Amino acid sequence: MNFLLPALTLWQREIVRFLRQRSRIVGAFGQPLLFWLVLGSGFGRSFRSPAGNGAEGYAEYFFTGIVAMVVLFTAIFSTFSVMDDRKQRFLQGVLAAPVPRSAIVLGQALGGTTLGLLQGVLLLAAAPLAGVPLSAAGVLAAVGVMALMGFALTSLGLLFAWRIDSTQGLHSIMNLALLPLWLLSGAVFPAEGAHPLLALAMKANPLTYGVAALRRSLYLSSPAAVQGLPGMEVSLLVTALFALLAFLAAVRTAERSAG
């Protein structure tokens, strides 16, 4: 109880605070959708998808990347709440309580994960418009993958948020670290046809396997369409390991922080 109660309380606080800030809902959901409409239609005629990547047109290929982007943006925005809590002295109050730092980080990570998951599920409703063949089993599998990705990315964001005191500095680091992670994950373009160095970086990027698992989930009823991607088992294993390591690193940073 000493562990779960504070974690669940902080998780609930993140949800309530998000619902009271309508600008965050518009920013986190509207911007990826705008990217999908503009880039999907802009690159549509010049894009040629390699066989086995699960798409015939760019709007269809980019849709999975946009779902991943929604999860990523929500993870970024949710970690900024740590800065607000620090400025309002709320974080120092929580740290003074007899509560394990791991419970605090878990509550914050679960809050960001839930918000990303909710927005990702809402965006999945637009999948038929992109030509993605959804099925009930595929949606359930995609929800599980998005939850895993959201936990990994939020934990990674918290790792930076607990270490950096400046909002501007955190914003710069987020843009420097998390956006390239998304760009080189296969969300925007496939590794086939990319420069060999970029293809190598994409292969080493843990988010590549999260996006591959998400794409395989969405095409669960058409597995032949995604046969060129990393396998589901390997993708889930790498994503779970990424989430665990990011969470442990965030907890370790929080334990060393003075608040």
Side-chain angles (χ1 to χ4, degrees):
M1 185 63 74
N2 194 37
F3 182 86
L4 285 180
L5 183 59
L8 293 177
T9 302
L10 289 172
W11 166 78
Q12 183 184 23
R13 183 173 181 271
E14 288 296 317
I15 305 299
V16 171
R17 179 158 59 179
F18 178 79
L19 294 177
R20 289 178 178 174
Q21 296 176 340
R22 296 181 181 177
S23 58
R24 287 180 63 184
I25 301 175
V26 174
F29 192 74
Q31 188 172 1
L33 197 59
L34 185 64
F35 272 28
W36 176 54
L37 292 174
V38 173
L39 295 180
S41 57
F43 289 111
R45 293 187 177 180
S46 57
F47 178 75
R48 296 289 181 272
S49 176
N53 275 282
E56 296 181 0
Y58 190 68
E60 183 182 351
Y61 178 84
F62 195 36
F63 181 78
T64 307
I66 284 299
V67 175
M69 188 183 193
V70 166
V71 177
L72 173 71
F73 268 42
T74 307
I76 290 176
F77 290 146
S78 64
T79 56
F80 280 93
S81 63
V82 176
M83 314 301 289
D84 292 337
D85 289 343
R86 185 179 287 133
K87 290 178 180 176
Q88 296 168 3
R89 313 296 294 175
F90 174 81
L91 184 61
Q92 288 81 348
V94 174
L95 294 179
V99 173
R101 299 278 174 106
S102 54
I104 298 173
V105 176
L106 179 63
Q108 294 170 331
L110 289 179
T113 302
T114 304
L115 298 178
L117 185 59
L118 289 175
Q119 292 179 78
V121 170
L122 284 176
L123 190 59
L124 282 184
L129 298 177
V132 177
L134 278 187
S135 64
V139 170
L140 288 176
V143 168
V145 173
M146 284 191 293
L148 205 53
M149 287 174 58
F151 190 79
L153 292 171
T154 308
S155 297
L156 188 61
L158 289 171
L159 170 64
F160 296 122
W162 274 92
R163 188 182 294 269
I164 300 172
D165 293 331
S166 162
T167 303
Q168 291 83 357
L170 179 61
H171 193 273
S172 300
I173 292 298
M174 289 296 185
N175 286 333
L176 182 67
L178 293 186
L179 281 181
L181 207 63
W182 173 73
L183 288 171
L184 296 176
S185 67
V188 184
F189 55 86
E192 293 85 354
H195 188 280
L197 289 178
L198 280 182
L200 186 62
M202 292 172 75
K203 196 170 184 179
N205 181 0
L207 192 57
T208 297
Y209 299 90
V211 173
L214 182 59
R215 207 180 291 279
R216 280 190 172 276
S217 300
L218 295 178
Y219 289 85
L220 205 60
S221 59
S222 308
V226 289
Q227 60 184 359
L229 299 175
M232 180 62 102
E233 294 81 4
V234 173
S235 299
L236 288 177
L237 182 63
V238 172
T239 307
L241 190 61
F242 175 37
L244 178 63
L245 292 178
F247 176 71
L248 292 177
V251 170
R252 185 171 178 80
T253 303
E255 288 174 342
R256 293 180 173 182
S257 173

